[in-house]
Amino acid sequence: MAKASPSSDTRTAFLEAATTQFSDRGFYGASIASIASDLGLTKQALIHHFGSKEQLYGEVLQRIADQLGAVVVEAVSEESDPTRQLERLLGLLFDSRRVQPEQTVLITRELLDNRPRAQKAGTWYLKSFLNALIALIKRVPGWESASDGQALAAVYQLLGAINYYAISEPTLTRMFGKPAYRTLEEAFPRQLRALITACLENPPTKQR
Amino acid sequence: MAKASPSSDTRTAFLEAATTQFSDRGFYGASIASIASDLGLTKQALIHHFGSKEQLYGEVLQRIADQLGAVVVEAVSEESDPTRQLERLLGLLFDSRRVQPEQTVLITRELLDNRPRAQKAGTWYLKSFLNALIALIKRVPGWESASDGQALAAVYQLLGAINYYAISEPTLTRMFGKPAYRTLEEAFPRQLRALITACLENPPTKQR
DNA sequence: CTAGATACTTACCACTCGGTAAGCCGTCAA
DNA sequence: TTGACGGCTTACCGAGTGGTAAGTATCTAG
């Protein structure tokens, strides 16, 4: 009895393969046949487990949302000071671009694809994440009286700085060449920390 | 002889339709038949003008790159002070999300799709744009001695804050509802201006 | 009047897509 | 032994993809 639940193993294997393929080629660009062949299986095996391509995609988004929520919990539990909690959270998000670049890419794809058409399930998971960020920044000294809109604006700018860089890294590397990119790679985190503290120290109430 | 060049009219009409469709659905998601039917024509008419879907896509990217370059020229010519030039440029980019949202969306799609596969032509246009931004910030007081990597890091963070918000706007609207979104819509530009000046006033040389 | 080019059309091709239907095979319970 | 079930297969379907081939209508230059 080496394996506990054989079916759940292939399920998560499918989910992982699907995550990278959806991330690389988008929902329409990725085919269920290609995802299945990554595991040496046929597309009908995938259909058997998930019912349809859309449901598979939904589960992939769900997993990402769960992991995103876990990062929030981790940051909050590691620090006590609200400012540090936020800095830690943004730092963790920035670092995760190395371990799980597919996450940021997939979320960004969702933002792009959801523009015209009706929203899929994915958007709602993001909302609770953003609400957590809003709640966090409103506990930072000077930000208590900020409106939700002001809080979201500030937080979303920092999030944009992080995520846009995360999805651009490969392109920037090829564009400027490895050696030139190394200096950017080194300068970015320092500059980012400076930007975050500058933002947190300038709440809208005491802006000039 | 009402029209000067009949063929160029349909060509630009094709380019405009293609821009919105590529922006909405991505390269793979958009079909040449659907683009052509927007003008009441068949896909073979499109092939007749552009040769292939890839070439059409290339011309769409080229147009966007040209318009991006024009924005740089506009910002530089309108202001004399380097700080104001940069602020004006970023402001113009932020405003353009209203007039031409397809541009930002398409560039972001390029960043995502270029991750795994070899880069298409589009990347090179972006490089000259980024180089212009680097040159601009290095003329701002205090930034003269910054390295290219430091300059790009700072500029790319601001660019990310702007572009990520631009592609997120529709999703954020649906997520928080129109009334709540209005306050964000109002707070964002002000917060962005504060972020830009905070960034420019904190060059890496005198960072604590 | 004719030759050629331009701007399009219909017809067709090979291929891929997501999904259905039906069956095969091993495990496990009655 | 039998029957049900989960996990997977092959076979197949209709729809849609980008692209080719060949033709038609219109206008213009020689």
Side-chain angles (χ1 to χ4, degrees):
Chain A
M1 55 168 73
K3 40 191 173 180
S5 172
S7 79
S8 109
D9 277 1
T10 48
R11 255 189 81 92
T12 61
F14 267 128
L15 283 171
E16 282 165 11
T19 303
T20 71
Q21 293 237 4
F22 282 139
S23 157
D24 283 352
R25 314 188 203 173
F27 180 77
Y28 298 112
S31 74
I32 56 174
S34 163
I35 293 170
S37 83
D38 274 8
L39 315 189
L41 296 178
T42 64
K43 60 177 175 176
Q44 287 74 10
L46 190 154
I47 291 289
H48 171 69
H49 282 289
F50 296 92
S52 77
K53 187 185 185 182
E54 296 250 356
Q55 288 188 34
L56 168 67
Y57 184 66
E59 289 205 31
V60 166
L61 284 183
Q62 179 67 269
R63 261 169 54 107
I64 291 181
D66 292 345
Q67 292 168 17
L68 221 53
V71 171
V72 175
V73 171
E74 182 184 349
V76 171
S77 65
E78 279 182 359
E79 305 278 351
S80 54
D81 179 41
T83 306
R84 295 237 176 142
Q85 286 177 339
L86 200 50
E87 286 173 345
R88 182 100 185 92
L89 175 51
L90 294 172
L92 285 175
L93 289 177
F94 180 71
D95 294 340
S96 78
R97 116 213 86 115
R98 275 275 154 60
V99 197
Q100 291 147 329
E102 313 94 3
Q103 287 194 5
T104 313
V105 170
L106 242 169
I107 290 173
T108 309
R109 283 200 190 275
E110 256 303 287
L111 291 175
L112 294 174
D113 291 341
N114 261 342
R115 286 187 121 256
R117 75 169 180 238
Q119 76 267 31
K120 293 247 178 62
T123 349
W124 295 109
Y125 312 147
L126 285 183
K127 181 171 185 181
S128 69
F129 173 72
L130 289 179
N131 278 331
L133 281 177
I134 292 173
L136 256 179
I137 198 176
K138 286 177 84 171
R139 293 180 51 220
V140 170
W143 284 85
E144 297 93 347
S145 60
S147 73
D148 276 21
Q150 289 170 327
L152 181 55
V155 143
Y156 214 83
Q157 283 167 15
L158 299 177
L159 212 59
I162 292 172
N163 284 351
Y164 208 74
Y165 176 71
I167 65 170
S168 306
E169 259 190 314
T171 306
L172 291 177
T173 315
R174 282 199 304 264
M175 200 152 52
F176 291 96
K178 281 253 168 78
Y181 177 71
R182 295 294 289 272
T183 75
L184 169 65
E185 196 180 18
E186 190 209 23
F188 198 92
R190 195 159 3 140
Q191 198 69 31
L192 181 63
R193 273 191 297 273
L195 194 77
I196 292 173
T197 57
C199 171
L200 294 185
E201 285 176 1
N202 271 314
T205 50
K206 66 165 188 176
Q207 265 173 28
R208 18 192 173 158
Chain B
M1 54 170 73
K3 39 190 172 181
S5 172
S7 79
S8 112
D9 277 2
T10 47
R11 254 188 82 92
T12 62
F14 267 129
L15 283 172
E16 283 165 11
T19 302
T20 71
Q21 293 237 5
F22 281 138
S23 157
D24 282 352
R25 314 188 202 175
F27 180 78
Y28 298 111
S31 75
I32 55 174
S34 162
I35 294 170
S37 84
D38 273 9
L39 314 189
L41 298 178
T42 64
K43 60 177 174 176
Q44 288 74 11
L46 191 155
I47 292 287
H48 169 70
H49 282 288
F50 296 92
S52 77
K53 188 185 183 182
E54 296 250 356
Q55 288 188 33
L56 168 68
Y57 184 65
E59 288 205 33
V60 167
L61 285 183
Q62 178 68 270
R63 260 167 55 108
I64 289 181
D66 292 345
Q67 293 168 16
L68 222 52
V71 171
V72 174
V73 170
E74 180 183 351
V76 170
S77 66
E78 278 182 359
E79 304 279 350
S80 54
D81 178 41
T83 305
R84 296 235 174 143
Q85 287 176 338
L86 199 51
E87 287 172 347
R88 183 98 184 94
L89 175 51
L90 293 172
L92 284 174
L93 290 176
F94 180 71
D95 293 340
S96 79
R97 115 214 87 111
R98 276 276 155 59
V99 197
Q100 291 146 329
E102 314 96 2
Q103 287 195 4
T104 312
V105 171
L106 243 169
I107 290 174
T108 309
R109 283 200 190 275
E110 257 302 289
L111 291 176
L112 295 174
D113 291 342
N114 261 342
R115 287 186 120 254
R117 76 168 182 239
Q119 75 268 32
K120 293 250 178 59
T123 348
W124 295 108
Y125 313 147
L126 285 184
K127 180 170 185 182
S128 70
F129 173 71
L130 289 179
N131 277 331
L133 281 177
I134 293 174
L136 255 179
I137 199 177
K138 285 177 85 171
R139 291 179 55 219
V140 171
W143 284 84
E144 297 92 348
S145 61
S147 73
D148 276 20
Q150 289 170 328
L152 181 55
V155 143
Y156 213 83
Q157 282 166 16
L158 298 177
L159 212 58
I162 292 171
N163 283 352
Y164 209 74
Y165 176 71
I167 65 170
S168 305
E169 259 191 316
T171 306
L172 290 176
T173 314
R174 281 199 304 264
M175 200 151 52
F176 291 95
K178 281 256 169 74
Y181 177 72
R182 294 295 288 272
T183 76
L184 169 64
E185 196 179 20
E186 189 209 23
F188 199 92
R190 194 159 5 139
Q191 198 67 32
L192 181 63
R193 272 192 297 273
L195 195 76
I196 292 173
T197 57
C199 172
L200 294 184
E201 284 176 0
N202 272 314
T205 51
K206 66 165 186 174
Q207 263 172 28
R208 20 191 172 161

